[in-house]
Each structure stands twice: as C-alpha cells, then as structure tokens.
C-alpha cells in the first residue's frame, strides 16, 4: 500500500500547477464551495470524495477570504499528516470526526486544490466512496479491512480494503489476483468467525455489508484439488491417501459410488444423471456458478446444486476409482426428510427430487411473477401451446428446463355436457404404464380329507381382481373336487393367520403368503337326511420342559401344519373327536401296538377315572360318552354313515379293545393356540380351536415328522407361464390412451358446475433434449404391492417418437424426433429387498459401463436390455451431434451413438 501511495503522490506532484494557472481567490472560493462541483453538492452513491485535514482547510479559507494572494496566510501544500496513524502504512487514525478533524470534498474540488496547491510529498490521497445504506447515503470514511489468506498458507495474510457496497465477488477477484491463481483453477471463500469457526461465503453476489464482514476478519481462499475435492472437505489424516489417489489417472466418468447403507438407489440415480452430457459439461465448465440462486424460497439455497457439482467434478476428474457421497447424502436428507436414515428407497423418487432441487437452485428467474393458467377456449393448439411454454419459462428457466422439460397436451371431456378442456402442461419425465395381465398366478397347497393322500402343491391362474371363490373354482378344475367342499386359509408359524370367506377379495392375499385349501364336508344342511357339520381348526403342540427352579412347569410349542376337520355336530364328543383325529393323522402317526396297549391299560383306566371333562383339558371319554366302538370314525359325511367318505379302512375296522392307550390329549385354545379357552360345551354351536398336545416321548415314538412334512407337486407346478415381452412403444401408446378419472380424483366441470369423472387423454406435444422414461414396474393397492418383471424391449438407437408427437413436425429434420439410449437405472429383486444398478454410456469414450455401487465394469450393448430396466435416459440425436467434438483430419470418424470397444473383458450381468 505504501508503494501505491507513493505513486499516487508522485502523480499528484506531476500535476502541480504553475503559479500563473491558479485562478483568482474569489473564483477559487466559488469553485470549491458553491459550484456544482463544490462541497455543497448532494452525495451520489458510488462516487468518490476525498478527506482534507481540517486545519489546512481552515487556513485555506482564511487565505481566499482575505483577498490578498501575496498574504502571509498562504496555506502551502495540502498536508493530511495529522489524519494518519503513521507515515509508513498510512493507516487512517481511528475516531476521526468530520468538521473537527477533516472536511470532505468531491473529486472535482479535490483535484482543483491539488492542481493549485499540490499535495505533501509522499502522502497518498484519502479517497472514499459514497455508499447507499438503508435509508441514508454517506461517505464511507472507514472501509472494511480484511485479512486475505490462502487455505494452504494461513500464516501470511494480505490486508485489503473494501467498501461496504463492494460485492463478495470483488473480494474473491482481489484474492485471486494477489495470490496469482490461474483462470482455470476454481476457488471459493470462507470467513473465520470470532469464536474460531469457519463459514462459507456461498453467494458472491451479495455485498460486504449483507455478508456482515467486519474489519480485521480473516477471509480464506480455498482452491479445488485436481481430483475435484476441496481441501477443507478432507480430514488431515487422509492427506497421504489423497496424494496417492491424485496420482491415479483413469477415464473421467468411470468412477464408482460407495454404498453408505441401502443407498444403491441414490447411487443409481446419480450415475444416470452424471452421464447426461450437456448437464455434466454445464457443471464441469463452471457455468452453474453464475446461475446459483440463493434467494429462491422454493430452492435449497444452492446447497444441492453445489453438492451435486462437487460429485460431478470428482467423478469426472479421472483421479478416483470410487468416491464416498456422504456430503451429498447428508444434504439430501436435510432438505428431504423422507431420505433421512438408511432405508431403501426408489431411485426414480430420488431422481425426481434431485431434478426439482437442481432446477430451483439454478433457476435464472430470481423473482417469480404470478401467471394465470388459461384454457384453450377454442383457440388453435399452436397458439395455446406457445403461450403455455412462455408462461412456464417466465417462472422456470434453468439448465434442467433446457435439458429435461417437455410439453403435454391434456384433453378432458365431461361425460354429461360434453365440455372439452384443453391445457398444455410441462413435464420432466414420462411415467409410462406396463401392459398388465388381468390374471394372477397363485401357489396353494390342497389338503384332502383322505389321510392317505399327501398335500398337493398347485399353481393356479385366477383373476387378479377375483374372489376366494374363484381360487376354489380354479382348484376344482385340477382336483375334480367341488368348490363347495373347500375352505381357504393362510397358514403362518404353525397356526391359522386367517381363514377366508368365499366373498373376500384375492387382493388381500400376498404372493409370499402360504395358502392352504382344505377339503371339508358340506358347510350347511343338504337334503332332508343330512346334518350340519362343524369345521374345527386343529393345532399340533408339544410339551417342552421350561427352565424353572423346580422344573415343574411345562410349556407348549406349536409345530407341523394345522388342519381343518369336519365333525358331525351330533358326534361332537371328545372320544369321537380323538378317533377322528387319529384317523386324519394316520399317514404319519403310528397306531400303538398290542404290547403298547397292554402297558397302557392300567394307566388308561386311571386316566379315564381322573379325566372326566374338566375346564380346559380332557384326556379321554366320560361315562356319558359313547365308547370307542360306538364312536367310530367320522368324516362328517351326509346320510349318517360313520365310515370315511372313500370307504377306506378306518379305526372302526381295526381290532378294538375296551381300553387303549391315548397318544395325545385334546383341549380348546384361542386362535393363536397359545392359551386355553373355557370348557368345550358339546351342545354349543361355537366352533372352537382344538389343540392336539403331545408328550415329547410319545411324539418321538409315534409321530413321523418327515412324513408329516411331505407333499407332492401337481403337474401344473411344472408349467412355466411365460410372459411375452412388450415393446417400449406399446407402453408409450398406453400412456397416450384415453382413460376415465377415478372417483378419488374427479374433475370440476366449469359448465356443469360440479365434479365429474371425465375422460382424460395425454398427448406429447414437445419433447426435451434428454427424455427420461420411467417404467411403472411397482403397483400399489390398498391390499397389495407387487413388482412387474415384464421384459420391456427398448432400442439402443433410433427410438422414433414421430408417431407420438402431435405437434406439426419439421419433416426436414427427422433427428428432432429420434433418440439414442445413454443410461438405464436397473432394479433387481422384489419390493422388500431390491438392489439398484446402472448402465451408462461414457460421453467421451462412447463405451458402455455397468455401475454397481463402487464397482464399475465395461459391458456390451446386448447386455443392457433386461427385466431389471426401470428408468431409461434417451438423448435426442441432434443434441448428440451438436455436443460431439469435431474430429481433426487425422482422427478416425467417431460413432454417432454409444458403442462398445472391440477388445475388452466384459462382465455378464444377466
């Protein structure tokens, strides 16, 4: 600063006038005090005023007012020495007061005085700016003195003065000039607060006053590393690793993203967006810096755009094999709470949020005006569409709009009055439906009443919106069994989760549910001689010793598959039920031998005496019950027959003894099978749950677990229902098909003055440079959620939209309607445990790569199409040619679309 002051002083001396050029004293007074250039003129923001020491100026006033040019009151050269703290740095003294220590002169008056009288040798002129502060204009005598330092050298500050009205950008430019930063290097500023913390100066367009910068504050300039990272973003402990990473040099853009925990959805969306050429060039060439919108109330203060820019610069630096998107994940969670934590999400939902956030952060419209939406009202489509697009651009103008936004034509027709409403609406991506089959494949197990038959697994084709009765009808075609003799249940954890009624919807059954269909007797009286049967749910339980201090308590644990057993109401006794169940379990429960029966006779006698029906537990028949011979087997067959329905040998054909050993005990339980109910009353019409309780030794001896778990597969299980692939064009046709609005979303007809279920048709009017097509693979209803794994055939090149765009077309430019694929977001797996990956074409090499979190591998084009394709990115061909670098005469011709290298090791991702 001293050198600058000396130069200015020398220049002032050079301008010192000759004595004969000095005007008369009266003229001097008028020019300094009263004229338009004098000190009485009003202040104007931005102009320069100068400080003159009060004593010298008073001496000058005495001199000119005396009227004698040869007077001894001549003031001599302007001397402001008393206004400075020292004669080296020429810092202004603190606490100077106008009118006591100095006077202020406009630039013209100052230059007059310097020309007439000169400036003391070596002294710098004290020039200050007029600033416009809230509600007042004033000369800023004390500007803000800031200490500028580099992030790499915090101990060597450079002092620079700035006006309160100077922009932060001026501070940045001053720092870059002083520290000799090249134009190619990217820099940013931080300030050090009084408590020692650091804060980013994000918005360089604000003033020093708005940024609340104070004299003496340290401003740090940080320069981006070659690998796209910022020094401040890396802890000191990883500096060595960073140096090694910077030494790595790979293909820009071929960079993985670390999975932070269920963040594959985010990684997939980011990789797709990173490979949109014009958007990536926009960030790499720092065009975003001029368009950051920090004051948009709908935006995120530029933070999402800056975080995304950091990711792009790192990924395309060529210095990273993979990067950790932790800062970006934190920013996303901060502004969109649904993405907080580490739950799995939808890549398309993240993509939608990111595109909207980038748009608002980079919106060139700083203050959005109110725009009224207008209906077509019979006007030509061309006029209405142009008006709609102009209105959209008046509020939304960003690189996202330039790249991804197109225009729909929406036509609504009232079903009552026929009123037609036509509007044109912008879109950022197309969510196209997949052709959905109205059929559904369900796997069930059929359990026959014949105990000799193992359960059968069946694969049934039923209406997607059908009822439980439709499931029974479908099974009847395979088994020949009447649907009237079937009951459907959901079995979970050895118990009945739900027993369905015939009129219930199939949508309440999920694909992962274990569905059993049981053969039972008729549910109601049939004919005059028939009787009503009771269907009893039967559970199997085993007594297990619990760890108790006296080992006297026994727990009960469910096992095996539950049963639904038909019992004639008039045969509803414990002893009869025991034999019925013994018969139903005979395939995997061994009948005791005669020796076992002898061993158990005495015990059985005791048991029979002690086990008259008691609340909650009955082990044998009471004296009022029929004996074993009279009870016999019963399967609930109409007509009073006590033989099994297929006349197979049952317990009544076995050699009978008056007493036999019981293999298990029975008791009533609740639907969970975990606690006892009240005593089973044989006269009641209630249908209790019955538990078969086994002692561990008896179960081990007589119960065959392997046989109990056995089942057979019906021939239908071997049939594979092949889903025919669909073309992407079919999905787009479905998107533009007329549909009727749902009851939850009616349209208000301005003619009828009421909400109507109007017909709606969407047409494509104008397509964007980069078209995002979202395949709606996930279906959500009130009762069910499913993923459609239909193979959608989509072209890699020449996707032609000319047949779908209804705007009058320019036939001389067919490339305006043809698109080439540049990226695909894939989803593998189901709804609960899916995984996202990406195929993307590198804009520089034209090579396709497969991005699986931090792993990146080259692939061929024939690997891209799969059932996992979820979000497709297409680029218009005219844009691709515009962005393609012009090859030199020595370069080989480049392919117009992404291709694959001739010699590479490819990974099979299918």
């Amino acid at each position: 600063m001293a050198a600058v002051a000396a130069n200015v002083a020398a220049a002032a001396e050079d301008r010192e006038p000759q004595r004969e050029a000095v005007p008369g004293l009266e003229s001097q007074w008028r020019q300094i005090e009263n004229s338009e250039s004098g000190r009485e003129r009003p202040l104007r923001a931005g102009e320069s005023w100068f400080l003159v020491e009060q004593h010298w100026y008073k001496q000058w006033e005495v001199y000119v007012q005396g009227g004698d040019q040869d007077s001894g009151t001549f003031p001599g050269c302007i001397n402001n020495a008393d206004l400075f703290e020292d004669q080296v740095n020429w810092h202004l003294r603190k606490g100077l007061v106008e009118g006591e220590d100095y006077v202020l002169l406009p630039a013209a008056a100052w230059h007059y005085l310097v020309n007439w009288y000169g400036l003391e040798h070596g002294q710098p002129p004290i020039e200050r700016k007029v600033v416009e502060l809230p509600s007042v204009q004033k000369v800023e005598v004390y500007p803000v003195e800031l200490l500028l330092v580099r992030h790499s050298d915090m101990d060597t500050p450079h002092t620079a003065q700035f006006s309160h009205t100077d922009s932060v950008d001026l501070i940045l430019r001053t720092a870059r000039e002083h520290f000799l930063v090249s134009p190619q290097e990217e820099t940013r500023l931080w300030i050090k607060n009084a408590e020692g913390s650091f804060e980013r100066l994000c918005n360089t367009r604000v003033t020093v006053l708005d940024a609340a910068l104070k004299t003496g504050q340290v401003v740090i300039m940080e320069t981006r590393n070659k690998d796209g990272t910022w020094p401040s973003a890396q802890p000191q402990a990883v500096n060595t690793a960073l140096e090694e990473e910077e030494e790595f040099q790979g293909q820009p853009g071929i960079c993985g993203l670390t999975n932070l925990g269920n963040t594959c959805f985010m990684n997939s969306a980011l990789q797709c967006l990173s490979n949109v050429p014009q958007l990536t060039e926009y960030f790499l060439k720092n065009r975003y810096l001029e368009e950051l919108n920090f004051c948009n109330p709908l935006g995120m203060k530029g933070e999402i755009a800056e975080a995304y820019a950091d990711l792009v610069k790192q990924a395309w630096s060529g210095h990273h094999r993979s990067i950790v998107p932790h800062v970006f994940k934190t920013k996303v969670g901060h502004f969109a709470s649904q993405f907080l934590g580490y739950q799995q999400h939808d890549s398309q939902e993240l993509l939608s949020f990111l595109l909207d956030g980038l748009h608002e952060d980079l919106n060139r419209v700083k203050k959005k005006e109110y725009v009224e939406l207008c209906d077509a009202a019979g006007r030509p489509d061309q006029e209405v569409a142009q008006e709609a697009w102009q209105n959209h651009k008046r509020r939304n103008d960003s690189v996202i709009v330039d790249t991804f936004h197109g225009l729909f034509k929406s036509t609504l027709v009232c079903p009552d009055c026929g009123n037609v409403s036509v509007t044109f609406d912008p879109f950022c991506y197309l969510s196209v439906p997949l052709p959905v089959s109205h059929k559904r494949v369900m796997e069930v197990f059929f359990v026959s009443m014949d105990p000799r038959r193992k359960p059968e697994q069946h694969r049934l084709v039923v209406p997607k919106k059908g009822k439980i009765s439709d499931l029974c009808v479908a099974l009847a075609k395979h088994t020949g069994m009447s649907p009237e003799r079937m009951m459907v249940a959901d079995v979970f954890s050895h118990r009945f989760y739900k027993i369905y009624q015939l009129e219930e919807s199939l949508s309440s059954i999920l694909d992962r549910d274990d569905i059993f269909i049981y053969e039972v007797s008729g549910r109601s009286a049939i004919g005059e001689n028939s009787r009503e049967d009771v269907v009893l749910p039967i559970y199997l339980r085993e007594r297990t010793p619990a760890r108790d201090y006296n080992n006297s308590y026994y727990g009960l644990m469910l096992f095996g598959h539950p049963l639904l057993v038909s019992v004639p109401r008039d045969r509803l006794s414990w002893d009869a039920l025991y034999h019925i169940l013994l018969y139903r379990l005979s395939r995997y429960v061994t009948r005791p031998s005669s020796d076992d029966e002898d061993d158990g006779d005495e015990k059985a006698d005791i048991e029979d005496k002690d086990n008259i029906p008691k609340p909650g537990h009955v082990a044998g028949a009471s004296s009022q019950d029929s004996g074993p011979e009279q009870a016999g087997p019963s399967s609930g067959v109409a007509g009073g027959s006590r033989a099994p329905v297929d006349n197979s040998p049952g317990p009544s054909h076995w050699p009978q003894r008056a007493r036999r050993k019981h293999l298990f005990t029975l008791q009533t339980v609740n639907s969970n099978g975990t606690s006892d109910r009240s005593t089973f009353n044989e006269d009641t019409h209630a249908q209790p749950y019955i538990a078969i309780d086994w002692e561990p030794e008896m179960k081990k001896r007589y119960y065959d677990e392997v046989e109990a778990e056995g089942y057979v597969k019906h021939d239908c299980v071997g049939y594979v229902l092949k889903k025919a692939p669909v073309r992407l064009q079919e999905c787009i046709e479905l998107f533009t098909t007329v549909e009727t609005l749902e009851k939850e979303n009616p349209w208000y007809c301005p003619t009828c003055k009421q909400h109507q279920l109007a017909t709606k048709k969407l047409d494509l009017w104008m397509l964007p440079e980069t078209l995002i097509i979202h395949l709606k693979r996930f279906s959500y209803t009130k009762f069910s959620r499913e993923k459609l794994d239909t193979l959608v055939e989509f072209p890699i090149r020449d996707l032609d939209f000319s047949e779908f765009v209804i705007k009058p077309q320019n036939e001389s430019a067919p490339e305006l309607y043809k698109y080439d694929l540049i990226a695909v977001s894939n989803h593998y797996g189901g709804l609960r445990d899916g995984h996202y990956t990406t195929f993307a074409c590198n804009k520089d090499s034209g090579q396709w790569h497969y991005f699986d979190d931090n792993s990146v591998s080259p692939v061929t084009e024939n690997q891209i199409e799969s059932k996992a394709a979820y979000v497709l990115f297409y680029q218009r061909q005219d844009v691709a040619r515009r962005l393609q670098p012009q090859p030199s005469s020595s370069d080989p011709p480049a392919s117009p679309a992404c291709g694959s290298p001739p010699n590479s090791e490819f990974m099979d991702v299918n």
Side-chain angles (χ1 to χ4, degrees):
M1 287 185 67
V4 173
N7 291 336
V8 173
E13 278 190 323
D14 292 342
R15 294 196 302 269
E16 190 171 346
Q18 300 296 321
R19 297 291 296 175
E20 59 268 24
V22 178
L25 298 181
E26 185 177 349
S27 177
Q28 288 185 39
W29 178 261
R30 285 197 307 270
Q31 291 185 57
I32 300 302
E33 286 286 341
N34 300 325
S35 67
E36 290 186 1
S37 61
R39 58 184 296 224
E40 298 300 324
R41 59 173 297 241
L43 299 175
R44 297 187 183 95
E47 68 180 6
S48 295
W49 286 59
F50 291 80
L51 276 69
V52 177
E53 198 270 331
Q54 174 81 6
H55 178 76
W56 184 93
Y57 191 77
K58 288 297 182 182
Q59 184 71 23
W60 174 80
E61 284 184 331
V62 171
Y63 172 64
V64 297
Q65 289 176 356
D68 184 2
Q69 289 190 350
D70 298 323
S71 169
T73 58
F74 180 72
C77 290
I78 301 172
N79 188 351
N80 289 331
D82 290 342
L83 300 181
F84 295 108
E85 286 184 346
D86 57 72
Q87 308 293 315
V88 178
N89 294 319
W90 302 102
H91 284 160
L92 210 61
R93 281 172 44 206
K94 302 297 183 185
L96 297 178
V97 179
E98 184 181 5
E100 295 182 9
D101 300 300
Y102 64 87
V103 294
L104 288 168
L105 296 178
W110 163 259
H111 290 307
Y112 285 142
L113 289 178
V114 172
N115 282 330
W116 299 334
Y117 299 94
L119 182 62
E120 191 71 29
H121 178 72
Q123 284 188 10
I126 308 174
E127 181 181 2
R128 294 295 184 261
K129 295 286 187 181
V130 177
V131 297
E132 187 168 5
L133 301 176
S135 72
V136 65
Q137 287 184 338
K138 61 177 290 188
V139 176
E140 188 180 41
V141 175
Y142 292 100
V144 178
E145 289 189 355
L146 299 176
L147 303 177
L148 306 182
V149 297
R150 298 194 73 165
H151 183 270
S152 57
D153 184 13
M154 302 277 284
D155 298 326
T156 311
H158 165 66
T159 303
Q161 292 186 343
F162 299 95
S163 166
H164 284 88
T165 57
D166 287 338
S167 67
V168 173
D169 184 62
L170 178 61
I171 302 175
L172 180 59
R173 284 189 278 116
T174 303
R176 289 177 65 96
E177 290 173 7
H178 178 78
F179 295 119
L180 304 177
V181 177
S182 66
Q184 293 77 24
E185 293 184 281
E186 187 178 349
T187 54
R188 63 182 184 181
L189 297 179
W190 296 77
I191 57 171
K192 186 176 182 181
N193 295 318
E195 61 272 15
S197 61
F198 295 89
E199 181 182 345
R200 271 280 314 281
L201 285 173
C202 299
N203 190 356
T204 59
R205 293 188 286 273
V206 300
T207 64
V208 171
L209 177 66
D210 293 333
L213 298 180
K214 307 296 183 185
T215 292
Q217 203 158 15
V218 177
V219 178
I220 303 101
M221 185 187 71
E222 182 182 21
T223 305
R224 191 187 288 274
N225 296 323
K226 291 181 181 180
D227 66 351
T229 60
W230 292 103
S232 61
Q234 305 296 337
Q236 296 295 324
V238 297
N239 280 347
T240 304
L242 284 175
E243 291 174 3
E244 294 176 359
E245 191 77 10
E246 281 196 4
E247 292 176 1
F248 169 77
Q249 186 63 51
Q251 171 71 44
I254 310 305
C255 177
L257 294 172
T258 300
N259 192 323
L260 305 175
N262 285 328
T263 57
C264 57
F265 73 96
M266 181 183 77
N267 293 347
S268 178
L270 287 172
Q271 294 287 14
C272 287
L273 214 54
S274 171
N275 282 279
V276 176
Q278 59 269 48
L279 184 65
T280 295
E281 287 297 315
Y282 171 84
F283 282 99
L284 291 179
K285 293 181 178 178
N286 290 334
R287 294 200 292 268
Y288 76 99
L289 292 174
E290 297 298 320
E291 296 182 349
L292 283 170
N293 192 332
F294 298 99
C295 55
N296 186 354
L298 299 178
M300 294 143 199
K301 299 180 176 62
E303 293 185 34
I304 286 293
E306 287 191 322
Y308 178 75
D310 287 346
L311 274 183
V312 169
K313 288 176 181 290
Q314 292 176 48
W316 288 85
S317 69
H319 291 288
H320 296 281
R321 294 178 178 86
S322 67
I323 54 180
V324 183
H326 179 71
V327 174
F328 181 83
K329 169 72 171 64
T330 303
K331 294 290 184 185
V332 168
H334 175 71
F335 290 105
S337 58
Q338 68 268 31
F339 297 114
L340 276 173
Y342 296 94
Q343 300 297 316
Q344 182 66 279
H345 292 281
D346 190 316
S347 68
Q348 189 270 334
E349 291 179 3
L350 188 278
L351 184 67
S352 176
F353 161 78
L354 182 54
L355 287 172
D356 185 62
L358 289 175
H359 160 63
E360 296 296 354
D361 272 1
L362 300 168
N363 199 344
R364 302 174 187 116
V365 180
K366 305 307 178 187
K367 187 175 182 181
K368 296 190 177 187
E369 56 181 307
Y370 172 75
V371 175
E372 186 174 355
L373 299 178
C374 298
D375 195 81
R379 293 179 294 162
D381 284 352
Q382 195 88 12
E383 177 186 337
V384 181
Q386 185 176 1
E387 178 187 81
W389 184 249
Q390 288 175 349
N391 287 342
H392 178 59
K393 292 278 284 185
R394 284 162 62 186
R395 292 175 56 86
N396 304 279
D397 185 15
S398 70
V399 66
I400 302 300
V401 175
D402 299 340
T403 308
F404 298 102
H405 282 206
L407 205 61
F408 284 140
K409 178 187 177 183
S410 175
T411 306
L412 289 162
V413 180
C414 178
D416 287 354
C417 68
N419 176 43
V420 179
S421 171
V422 175
T423 56
F424 288 82
D425 305 305
F427 68 89
C428 190
Y429 51 85
L430 299 181
S431 287
V432 298
L434 273 61
V436 178
S437 171
H438 297 292
K439 298 291 184 179
R440 176 183 177 186
V441 178
M442 298 183 66
E443 290 191 356
V444 301
F445 289 92
F446 172 63
V447 181
S448 171
M449 289 175 61
D450 183 353
R452 297 172 301 178
R453 293 177 58 183
K454 292 182 179 181
E456 289 180 345
Q457 184 183 17
H458 290 257
R459 183 172 290 170
L460 308 176
V461 180
V462 294
K464 185 167 286 187
K465 295 184 178 180
K467 298 179 180 180
I468 297 295
S469 57
D470 295 312
L471 189 63
C472 297
V473 170
L475 181 61
K477 295 177 182 178
H478 290 190
T479 62
M481 188 68 60
S482 169
E484 297 296 324
R485 299 187 58 173
M486 298 179 187
M487 287 190 71
V488 181
D490 181 355
V491 175
F492 176 72
S493 189
H494 312 294
R495 58 174 63 88
F496 291 116
Y497 182 77
K498 183 175 183 180
I499 299 176
Y500 293 95
Q501 301 299 316
L502 289 176
E503 295 305 311
E504 289 189 70
S505 172
L506 287 176
S507 61
S508 60
I509 298 179
L510 305 181
D511 290 338
R512 64 176 182 270
D513 293 341
D514 292 324
I515 302 300
F516 284 70
I517 300 181
Y518 296 87
E519 178 192 358
V520 295
S521 64
R523 290 188 179 80
S524 56
I526 304 174
E528 200 173 278
N529 298 324
S530 64
R531 61 182 183 273
E532 183 183 359
D533 290 346
V534 175
V535 178
L536 295 178
I538 306 297
Y539 291 155
L540 299 171
R541 302 194 302 183
E542 179 182 4
R543 294 183 181 276
T544 56
R547 293 184 178 179
D548 197 70
Y549 66 94
N550 59 5
N551 206 27
S552 62
Y553 175 79
Y554 285 82
L556 290 162
M557 182 177 294
L558 290 168
F559 71 93
H561 297 300
L563 294 171
L564 289 177
V565 179
S566 297
V567 180
R569 186 171 294 279
D570 61 355
R571 307 300 302 153
L572 206 56
S573 67
W574 287 113
D575 195 64
L577 181 58
Y578 174 84
H579 289 289
I580 290 172
L581 294 178
L582 195 61
Y583 169 68
R584 285 297 299 269
L585 303 177
S586 60
R587 180 171 59 85
Y588 45 89
V589 172
T590 306
R591 181 176 177 272
S593 66
S594 58
D595 294 337
D596 292 335
E597 291 171 2
D598 291 340
D599 292 340
D601 279 347
E602 183 179 350
K603 187 177 180 181
D605 289 339
I606 298 172
E607 287 180 349
D608 285 344
K609 292 176 183 177
D610 295 339
N611 285 285
I612 298 171
K614 296 177 182 178
H617 179 78
V618 177
S622 70
S623 59
Q624 300 174 359
D625 292 336
S626 302
E629 285 84 357
Q630 285 94 10
S634 174
S635 300
V637 182
S641 171
R642 297 183 184 181
V645 67
D646 60 355
N647 295 318
S648 60
S652 60
H653 296 84
W654 296 345
Q656 302 292 315
R657 288 175 58 99
R659 297 292 179 195
R660 62 166 52 93
K661 184 176 183 178
H662 286 275
L663 303 183
F664 47 78
T665 59
L666 306 175
Q667 68 179 40
T668 57
V669 292
N670 61 15
S671 60
N672 287 326
T674 55
S675 61
D676 299 348
R677 287 164 51 106
S678 58
T679 303
F680 172 41
N681 185 349
E682 298 174 15
D683 296 328
T684 183
H685 287 268
Q687 298 186 15
Y689 287 74
I690 304 296
I692 297 176
D693 291 341
W694 290 83
E695 297 291 341
E697 286 299 321
M698 299 294 283
K699 176 174 177 287
K700 183 177 180 180
R701 187 173 181 182
Y702 296 106
Y703 187 90
D704 187 343
E705 292 193 30
V706 176
E707 182 65 25
E709 295 295 325
Y711 69 94
V712 295
K713 293 184 178 182
H714 189 268
D715 292 342
C716 63
V717 177
Y719 303 151
V720 178
L721 299 175
K722 293 184 178 180
K723 296 182 180 179
V726 300
R727 294 167 58 247
L728 179 60
Q729 289 84 340
E730 295 177 53
C731 301
I732 299 170
E733 286 175 5
L734 271 178
F735 177 78
T736 58
T737 302
V738 177
E739 62 176 358
T740 302
L741 297 179
E742 298 178 348
K743 293 181 180 180
E744 295 80 10
N745 187 31
W747 170 66
Y748 182 79
C749 176
T751 304
C752 299
K753 305 296 183 184
Q754 60 181 356
H755 288 89
Q756 299 283 6
L757 299 182
T759 59
K760 180 178 181 180
K761 187 177 190 307
L762 290 176
D763 290 296
L764 301 177
W765 180 265
M766 184 179 71
L767 295 179
E769 293 183 353
T770 300
L771 179 63
I772 303 175
I773 302 177
H774 164 224
L775 304 177
K776 297 172 71 173
R777 291 196 178 275
F778 299 108
S779 174
Y780 300 95
T781 65
K782 183 178 181 181
F783 296 103
S784 67
R785 298 167 57 190
E786 65 174 331
K787 179 191 174 184
L788 305 174
D789 60 352
T790 307
L791 175 63
V792 178
E793 297 176 339
F794 50 88
I796 305 296
R797 296 179 179 82
D798 297 325
L799 175 60
D800 193 350
F801 273 90
S802 57
E803 62 177 300
F804 300 109
V805 176
I806 64 170
K807 179 181 178 180
Q809 299 181 16
N810 181 2
E811 296 182 1
S812 63
E815 68 273 9
L816 294 176
Y817 311 100
K818 288 188 177 181
Y819 286 77
D820 295 332
L821 189 72
I822 57 173
V824 181
S825 175
N826 304 300
H827 179 269
Y828 299 93
L831 291 166
R832 288 184 170 183
D833 52 357
H835 180 61
Y836 288 93
T837 63
T838 300
F839 289 114
C841 176
N842 186 274
K843 68 180 181 66
D844 297 332
S845 67
Q847 164 68 51
W848 280 92
H849 287 81
Y850 181 66
F851 297 84
D852 185 358
D853 290 332
N854 59 350
S855 173
V856 186
S857 304
V859 291
T860 56
E861 288 185 3
N862 58 9
Q863 294 174 274
I864 297 171
E865 186 180 278
S866 73
K867 292 182 179 181
Y870 182 45
V871 184
L872 311 175
F873 284 68
Y874 278 94
Q875 186 176 60
R876 210 167 61 204
Q877 289 184 351
D878 67 308
V879 178
R881 292 191 178 95
R882 186 186 74 210
L883 295 173
Q884 195 172 14
Q886 297 298 324
S888 64
S889 58
S890 61
D891 292 336
S895 172
C898 286
S900 54
N903 298 311
S904 293
E905 291 292 332
F906 297 117
M907 180 191 65
D908 184 5
V909 295
N910 290 329

